[in-house]
Amino acid sequence: MSIEDIPSPGAGFNFAQYLINRNGERGTKLAYIDDYGTLTYDQLFERVRRLASGLRSLGLKREERVLLLMHDCNDWPVSFLGAMYAGLVPVAVNTLLTADDYAYMLEHSRAQVALVSGALLPTLTAAMTKSDHEVNKVIVSHPAAPLHPSEIAFESFLQMHTPASKPAPTCGDDHGFWLYSSGSTGRPKGTVHTHANPYWTAELYGSRCLGIREADICFSAAKLFFAYGLGNGLSFPLSVGATTLLMAERPTPAAVFKRWTEQKPTVFFGAPTGFAGMLAAADLPSKEQVALRLASSAGEALPADIGERFTAHFGVEIIDGIGSTEMLHIFLSNLPGKVRYGTTGWPVAGYEVELRDEQGLPAADGEAGDLYIKGPSAATMYWNNREKTRDTFQGGWTKSGDKYIRNPDGTYTYAGRSDDMLKVSGIYVSPFEVEATLVQHPAVLEAAVIGKTDQDGLVKTKAFVVLKETQHATEEELKAFVKDRLAPYKYPRFIEFTKELPKTATGKIQRFKLREQENKA
């Protein structure tokens, strides 16, 4: 079946109502399991419609924004879908940020209502005192302390209202929700997505590529506020009637293993850093202790060594792909049963990709080029940021900011961010390639590579290396290790051992901070 055979959401399409229609026969089946309890499909959608009714009672108008600052729990999908059902726009934000960040997001989004976890309420309260924008109502999930008169418990708010009988008459192109970019440089950008966009990612990637099915129990280390996590934990499983396991705490190896062995998810969604940490853990479960049939990875390119070791241990493939906040989910991916570790696979059916050189012309096979994507799930804009919008969304194409190399077999290999590529002795060097080689050393947990200007003013590679606990390696040992595996000019001329690497809240290495640190030295 081609993309032309999939009905295109148009007039009369509301994503929340679409999911309700898809699951009409699954009333008593479990939709969600969180740290507090469970929700059946009937319970989920009744609560969605109750929340929609409640939000409407507050006088909110179509397309006004609602801040969603909540740890992963059953109230999260109720909040997200309830706002969409009402024709409002949930603004799902990272739970790991500061009060200053939230103050900016409140002002930028002009959110009229906030839905917040009790544990995060003090931070939101501090943000509201810093912001000139006034929030009309704060609805608190699982309050941790007595509430102020302007605040109300989520459960109480639901029970005060009868379920809405009809969804807002939205269409596929209406604004559905916002996600903020990770903000690896500068202020986060409010990325505007439509009601149709999660429909497309669920159909093209969740269903047709990964093959998520009703019998699956899905568990994502990436939280719901991430574009990756939103597909993994909401649009993918709900579109096929699967069950989703939610976890509020950080996805440490111990926390993940506990869910794997006790609640037996069949599909796990993670990131390379997480997979590396799990494989290095002393209490890694055996294949017989888990029920995994499939694993997914995104966020950064997956080193081949990690994928191969995971598959050798569990007999399960890691399907590595690349997506973005701007495209909502993965558009370039390996395929179940057709995995090429060390590559990011092939374009997902329904998406086109192009590699362009510095002049904007097609890059030749084997040469690094800037990655552009065309597909139906692209965001419409960055809110109130015309300059960045025009730079990123170019006609039907979206500029990813990543560099890739197209291989003879049609797969694509990650070559770093566009601003991270290094030119050493007149030749481009991919920091990721050097990093991926370093982490193959048995003592290395993580590595990040940047350019360092030497005494002659020439750029050379420098690696920041985090060693595994109880492990040891010397600088010369690691240099020789890389030289044995890559072209000699690619080995890091400088190595600095460090206890941790700077990362965004999404777990991506912030190489620009390492560059800033180096420039100050």
Side-chain angles (χ1 to χ4, degrees):
M1 183 169 71
S2 69
I3 187 173
E4 290 76 16
D5 299 319
I6 301 174
S8 181
F13 183 84
N14 180 293
F15 183 65
Q17 182 61 45
Y18 165 75
L19 293 178
I20 292 173
N21 293 342
R22 293 274 290 189
N23 293 286
E25 304 296 321
R26 298 189 177 99
T28 59
K29 185 178 191 293
L30 286 184
Y32 282 100
I33 304 168
D34 72 357
D35 298 334
Y36 300 95
T38 62
L39 276 183
T40 66
Y41 271 90
D42 271 352
Q43 291 169 334
L44 169 65
F45 293 128
E46 183 198 22
R47 291 167 73 84
V48 163
R49 293 187 295 116
R50 282 184 183 273
L51 182 65
S53 179
L55 293 174
R56 287 171 177 169
S57 76
L58 299 176
L60 297 182
K61 298 179 177 61
R62 287 278 300 276
E63 295 192 9
E64 286 191 314
R65 270 75 66 191
V66 175
L67 190 80
L68 176 48
L69 173 59
M70 197 178 286
H71 289 134
D72 279 19
C73 67
N74 292 344
D75 290 344
W76 203 106
V78 172
S79 300
F80 186 82
L81 294 173
M84 293 183 76
Y85 190 92
L88 304 172
V89 178
V91 179
V93 299
N94 192 322
T95 59
L96 305 173
L97 304 180
T98 66
D100 286 339
D101 293 316
Y102 299 133
Y104 167 77
M105 291 172 177
L106 286 171
E107 293 177 357
H108 184 245
S109 68
R110 306 174 196 139
Q112 300 298 301
V113 169
L115 297 130
V116 60
S117 288
L120 296 168
L121 181 58
T123 307
L124 177 66
T125 301
M128 291 191 294
T129 64
K130 293 171 177 281
S131 170
D132 293 330
H133 174 74
E134 184 176 351
V135 176
N136 296 323
K137 196 74 173 178
V138 177
I139 303 169
V140 186
S141 170
H142 302 290
L147 299 179
H148 186 271
S150 64
E151 303 159 352
I152 186 169
F154 190 91
E155 191 62 36
S156 299
F157 187 72
L158 289 185
Q159 298 310 316
M160 288 169 55
H161 299 92
T162 57
S165 59
K166 292 182 179 179
T170 53
C171 70
D173 286 340
D174 273 332
H175 290 182
F177 59 96
W178 293 13
L179 300 172
Y180 275 94
S181 66
S182 59
S184 55
T185 58
R187 284 287 196 182
K189 301 181 288 294
T191 311
V192 180
H193 281 283
T194 69
H195 274 263
N197 286 0
Y199 164 87
W200 284 116
T201 59
E203 286 291 330
L204 297 177
Y205 194 68
S207 178
R208 296 175 64 190
C209 184
L210 291 184
I212 306 298
R213 50 189 183 244
E214 184 177 4
D216 279 322
I217 300 174
C218 298
F219 176 37
S220 176
K223 302 301 184 181
L224 287 164
F225 61 77
F226 297 132
Y228 180 48
L230 182 64
N232 305 340
L234 193 148
S235 55
F236 293 3
L238 293 187
S239 69
V240 297
T243 298
T244 302
L245 178 63
L246 297 177
M247 177 178 73
E249 66 185 293
R250 288 179 57 248
T252 61
V256 170
F257 296 160
K258 177 179 172 64
R259 272 78 180 178
W260 280 5
T261 57
E262 293 181 3
Q263 292 170 296
K264 305 292 186 179
T266 58
V267 181
F268 177 72
F269 302 87
T273 299
F275 283 115
M278 288 187 286
L279 287 170
D283 55 345
L284 180 70
S286 68
K287 175 182 178 180
E288 292 70 30
Q289 290 177 284
V290 305
L292 296 177
R293 71 170 187 86
L294 186 71
S296 165
S297 179
E300 289 189 303
L302 179 76
D305 177 63
I306 292 175
E308 289 163 357
R309 287 192 288 128
F310 188 91
T311 299
H313 184 85
F314 289 109
V316 171
E317 296 173 321
I318 299 180
I319 310 303
D320 184 35
I322 181 176
S324 67
T325 303
E326 291 75 12
M327 294 302 296
L328 189 56
H329 214 276
I330 289 171
F331 47 79
L332 188 64
S333 180
N334 283 274
L335 303 169
K338 190 179 179 183
V339 170
R340 303 288 187 272
Y341 283 132
T343 80
T344 315
W346 298 263
V348 172
Y351 293 87
E352 298 176 51
V353 302
E354 281 188 1
L355 298 184
R356 302 178 186 174
D357 64 17
E358 293 177 356
Q359 288 73 45
L361 300 173
D365 282 4
E367 293 184 5
D370 293 307
L371 178 66
Y372 287 73
I373 315 102
K374 181 188 289 186
S377 63
T380 62
M381 70 176 90
Y382 298 126
W383 186 261
N384 278 354
N385 196 333
R386 180 178 290 190
E387 181 182 359
K388 288 288 187 182
T389 295
R390 286 177 168 173
D391 183 56
T392 299
F393 304 103
Q394 301 179 11
W397 294 94
T398 299
K399 182 171 74 173
S400 71
D402 294 298
K403 282 188 178 291
Y404 265 85
I405 296 169
R406 187 178 186 277
N407 303 311
D409 64 354
T411 59
Y412 289 75
T413 300
Y414 183 61
R417 290 290 296 173
S418 297
D419 56 357
D420 284 334
M421 289 293 289
L422 305 173
K423 213 168 199 179
V424 179
S425 302
I427 305 173
Y428 275 115
V429 174
S430 164
F432 177 79
E433 185 180 21
V434 182
E435 292 162 4
T437 303
L438 281 165
V439 298
Q440 293 175 32
H441 190 283
V444 175
L445 179 64
E446 293 181 306
V449 172
I450 65 169
K452 173 183 172 68
T453 304
D454 66 12
Q455 60 186 12
D456 297 319
L458 300 174
V459 174
K460 305 294 183 185
T461 46
K462 176 174 180 176
F464 292 82
V465 173
V466 179
L467 295 177
K468 297 174 184 175
E469 290 186 18
T470 74
Q471 296 292 315
H472 176 74
T474 66
E475 182 176 346
E476 291 308 312
E477 178 184 352
L478 293 182
K479 288 180 179 179
F481 185 83
V482 176
K483 281 183 183 178
D484 287 342
R485 287 158 177 80
L486 296 179
Y489 69 86
K490 294 182 179 180
Y491 85 91
R493 271 48 169 195
F494 311 95
I495 292 180
E496 180 175 327
F497 295 99
T498 183
K499 291 186 177 180
E500 61 180 7
L501 299 173
K503 296 175 183 174
T504 67
T506 63
K508 295 180 181 179
I509 295 170
Q510 293 174 307
R511 294 183 186 86
F512 76 95
K513 285 192 175 181
L514 294 173
R515 288 193 290 266
E516 290 172 356
Q517 171 185 319
E518 194 63 31
N519 291 336
K520 291 177 182 177

